[in-house]
Amino acid sequence: LGMAAPASLQRSVVSPAGRHTASLIFLHGSGDTGQGARAWIKQILNQDMAFQHIKVIYPTAPARPYTPMKGAFSNVWFDRYKICNDCPEHIESIDSMCRGLTDLINDEVKNGIAKNRILVGGFSMGGGMAMHLAYRFHQDLAGVFALSSFLNKDSAVYQALKKNESALPELFQCHGTADELVLYSWGEETNKMLKSLGVSVSLHTFPNLNHELNRTEIEKLKSWIVKKLPVEAPKAN
């Protein structure tokens, strides 16, 4: 029978208050869940990150053995040899998850949402995953956001963009200067590399912020989301 298709990803969904015309996929950090990421943001904002017209989807990465945790099972989007920016990427696990997340994007397209009305992004490893997904496989998405994230120095993303001619999704990046897990310099280097490869980028720096999210950052993200996915005027009959 060969490899079975990966089961569809579990997800926590915040429905739009009004007519659904755009979708946002938020990928959690390593070891978390979609439900956990949603609850974390809800705690920071004192309410769900919700919109009039945008459906917010928080999928959960399936549990898999994770090398930095000595092979213990963890909800991670892909494996890593170690948490550093100058080691090779675990490309097999990245690519297999890109297939699972492509199914999620296709579900939204089947619901009538155009690719250029879908944003992907996430926190930490989730942001790294989103950059692979968009810049290697879905260059027609509305945009990408990466919060406290990075790409390895010789990332497959950079290789793909070196050959690229088409317009690319804009990148919205945030990073705390006090991050001790994913160094600020790694995020900054990722931003510079993508910019040099033709991506329109922004990098919002948060002094004294460690490997975490804060309210100012999420408010900035929300403003950018609405800018990239504005409310559509109802079509005249």
Side-chain angles (χ1 to χ4, degrees), residues 4 8 16 18 26 34 39-40 48 56 75 96 141-142 156 190 192 195 216 223:
S8 119
F26 189 106
W40 189 23
D48 265 315
V56 185
N75 294 90
S96 109
L141 290 171
T190 299
K192 286 186 177 136
K195 185 178 184 180
T216 317
S223 306

Side-chain angles (χ1 to χ4, degrees), residues 101-117:
L101 289 165
T102 292
D103 290 344
L104 187 61
I105 291 172
N106 289 340
D107 282 350
E108 293 309 296
V109 173
K110 284 187 199 109
N111 286 330
I113 305 301
K115 291 279 287 289
N116 66 359
R117 297 284 292 166

Side-chain angles (χ1 to χ4, degrees), residues 33 47 66 92 108 135 149 174 188 193 216 224:
T33 61
Q47 60 182 17
Y66 188 44
E92 300 81 1
E108 293 309 296
Y135 293 121
S149 307
C174 294
E188 194 176 35
M193 268 305 289
T216 317
W224 179 77

Side-chain angles (χ1 to χ4, degrees), residues 78 80 84-89 91 94 124-133 135-136 144 146 148-159 161 171 173 175 182-183 185-191 193-194 197 199:
F78 49 86
R80 286 186 169 130
C84 63
N85 74 337
D86 54 4
C87 53
E89 289 175 321
I91 202 71
I94 292 173
S124 193
M125 174 186 262
M129 186 74 232
M131 290 187 275
H132 276 274
L133 185 65
Y135 293 121
R136 292 175 57 215
V144 185
S148 313
S149 307
F150 74 104
L151 291 170
N152 293 23
K153 283 187 194 294
D154 61 349
S155 177
V157 173
Y158 303 148
Q159 310 312 320
L161 294 183
L171 175 69
Q173 227 180 323
H175 215 116
V182 175
L183 303 184
S185 60
W186 300 357
E188 194 176 35
E189 193 175 304
T190 299
N191 192 277
M193 268 305 289
L194 289 171
L197 292 165
V199 178

Side-chain angles (χ1 to χ4, degrees), residues 16 30-31 38 42 46 48 68 89-90 139 146 149 153 155 161 175 192 199 205-206 209 211 214 217 223:
S30 58
R38 175 182 173 177
K42 191 172 181 173
N46 294 315
D48 265 315
E89 289 175 321
H90 196 288
Q139 297 182 345
S149 307
K153 283 187 194 294
S155 177
L161 294 183
H175 215 116
K192 286 186 177 136
V199 178
T205 302
F206 293 84
L209 187 68
H211 195 64
N214 73 12
E217 179 180 10
S223 306

